[in-house]
Amino acid sequence: MESKFMVPLILLLSLATIAEVASNSLDGAFPTIAEAHWKTVLPDTRMPVVINELLHPAEKSHSAGVIIDNNGNNGYNIYGKEDFTSLRNVPDATLFFLEDDLKRSGTRMHIQLSKRMTNSASFLPQSEAKSIPFSTADLPNTLSRFSIKPNSNLALRMQETLQQCEAPALKSEEKLCATSLESMVDFVVSKLGTNKGVQARVTVLEDRTVSKRAFKWYMVAGMAEEVGYVKTVNCHPQTYAYLTYYCHSLKGTRTYVVPFVGDDGTNAEVVAECHSDTSEWDAKHISFKMLHVKPGSVPICHALPEDSIVWMTS
């Protein structure tokens, strides 16, 4: 007969997982359920520091929202109609570049690599995120729940995020807007087809004191290492009342890790992506205008800020 004092085996395993994760948490912070989920599903995958910071935000706020750009830029929508009017004060920004530029030592780029989130940005627990309808139709209720003014800039950015998440995927794309770390991890594993040997690669900056949303001059300082993986899943933060990532697996994408050095002498290990098939992208996409090329003609590349994640298998 089972003793009423016997702790179920699954609980013991969960506690063991939490204890192990606790040793890896920042500043000794007690691990979250999301961290325990990561350790269970991805036992041999190291969690990037920037993700750990999103589980233990430096600042507390009434909401867990993330505002990528107060001027209106909602991040990269690689195949949408983008005019990036918010970048009118940064006319020389290197949003996109050619693959040859990435492979040429000495190439200079004016790019934004620092994370674009507020210091209070954090993941909601999966149970809470699931309880909040994530759709354009339910946006008024979400705005009210998080005390966001309906006509505010943030409300407009949230609507754009929902439209991007609800838009049909490209023929070569599989996507999910992940509203919790647990849902992101589960989506990644389902698309990679394994939880073994999974890597979560992010851009790493020597100087993390750079102002958020700040553009900085960098130079390619060495050989671009192509990370030759069969399939990748890429996750990019979006503007919403709580932390949301646009995750997608896009065929024909090559991932590179490239050493950069800033004009101030600080180093960066930059993760960059080159999309070899842009034939499905909107013909009015700003990348074609910036690079003077046509859809489907040449690979188009972009660097990832430190809060975007590329998932791959070894």
Side-chain angles (χ1 to χ4, degrees), residues 17 20-26 29-56 123 180-182 184-185 198-202 204 208 245 306 308-311:
T17 298
E20 183 176 356
V21 173
S23 65
N24 298 322
S25 296
L26 292 177
F30 193 78
T32 64
I33 294 175
E35 285 173 286
H37 184 80
W38 177 298
K39 189 65 179 178
T40 299
V41 178
L42 299 170
D44 56 354
T45 302
R46 184 177 181 84
M47 180 181 288
V49 170
V50 68
I51 299 301
N52 208 323
E53 290 174 346
L54 295 174
L55 295 169
H56 305 282
F123 285 106
S180 68
L181 182 60
E182 296 96 316
M184 182 195 298
V185 167
V198 175
Q199 297 182 38
R201 301 295 295 265
V202 297
V204 179
R208 300 193 69 213
Y245 268 80
E306 61 175 338
S308 287
I309 314 163
V310 178
W311 303 80

Side-chain angles (χ1 to χ4, degrees), residues 21-299:
V21 173
S23 65
N24 298 322
S25 296
L26 292 177
D27 301 323
F30 193 78
T32 64
I33 294 175
E35 285 173 286
H37 184 80
W38 177 298
K39 189 65 179 178
T40 299
V41 178
L42 299 170
D44 56 354
T45 302
R46 184 177 181 84
M47 180 181 288
V49 170
V50 68
I51 299 301
N52 208 323
E53 290 174 346
L54 295 174
L55 295 169
H56 305 282
E59 298 176 4
K60 301 298 182 181
S61 174
H62 71 281
S63 76
V66 47
I67 303 176
I68 293 178
D69 191 327
N70 284 318
N71 292 322
N73 179 18
N74 194 26
Y76 299 125
N77 175 1
I78 65 166
Y79 52 87
K81 296 180 181 178
E82 304 275 10
D83 60 9
F84 286 90
T85 55
S86 66
L87 294 173
R88 57 185 175 274
N89 295 324
V90 195
D92 53 359
T94 313
L95 291 181
F96 300 94
F97 45 88
L98 299 177
E99 199 165 16
D100 287 344
D101 297 329
L102 192 64
K103 296 179 178 180
R104 185 183 302 113
S105 184
T107 298
R108 283 171 54 79
M109 299 185 185
H110 195 201
I111 54 179
Q112 174 195 355
L113 295 178
S114 56
K115 69 178 184 179
R116 299 170 292 172
M117 302 185 217
T118 59
N119 288 334
S120 61
S122 63
F123 285 106
L124 290 183
Q126 186 177 35
S127 58
E128 183 178 355
K130 282 186 173 181
S131 71
I132 306 173
F134 187 79
S135 69
T136 299
D138 289 292
L139 180 58
N141 292 331
T142 302
L143 296 177
S144 176
R145 176 171 182 153
F146 289 93
S147 302
I148 298 170
K149 295 180 180 179
N151 296 322
S152 65
N153 182 58
L154 176 55
L156 177 60
R157 302 284 78 77
M158 289 171 60
Q159 183 177 20
E160 291 176 352
T161 291
L162 288 169
Q163 290 171 346
Q164 180 174 342
C165 291
E166 293 170 349
L170 298 175
K171 294 179 182 178
S172 59
E173 180 189 40
E174 297 174 287
K175 71 175 189 177
L176 171 77
C177 282
T179 56
S180 68
L181 182 60
E182 296 96 316
S183 62
M184 182 195 298
V185 167
D186 292 343
F187 176 76
V188 166
V189 171
S190 71
K191 297 311 167 190
L192 293 180
T194 182
N195 69 338
K196 305 299 182 183
V198 175
Q199 297 182 38
R201 301 295 295 265
V202 297
T203 289
V204 179
L205 305 179
E206 179 183 359
D207 178 16
R208 300 193 69 213
T209 63
V210 179
S211 173
K212 294 177 180 61
R213 297 178 288 278
F215 281 78
K216 179 177 173 180
W217 281 102
Y218 288 91
M219 181 178 69
V220 176
M223 183 177 297
E225 176 191 358
E226 182 176 355
V227 191
Y229 298 90
V230 176
K231 193 169 187 178
T232 61
V233 178
N234 312 309
C235 295
H236 313 283
Q238 302 296 302
T239 300
Y240 207 65
Y242 47 91
L243 193 55
T244 299
Y245 268 80
Y246 182 91
C247 296
H248 61 154
S249 177
L250 196 62
K251 294 179 181 178
T253 299
R254 289 189 287 274
T255 304
Y256 292 89
V257 177
V258 192
F260 277 33
V261 61
D263 277 3
D264 59 359
T266 58
N267 297 305
E269 183 183 82
V270 178
V271 176
E273 292 183 325
C274 293
H275 303 285
S276 59
D277 183 5
T278 61
S279 58
E280 291 185 71
W281 293 18
D282 193 290
K284 295 182 180 179
H285 193 279
I286 190 174
S287 62
F288 303 131
K289 182 184 298 184
M290 293 179 68
L291 300 175
H292 306 289
V293 297
K294 295 181 179 180
S297 59
V298 294

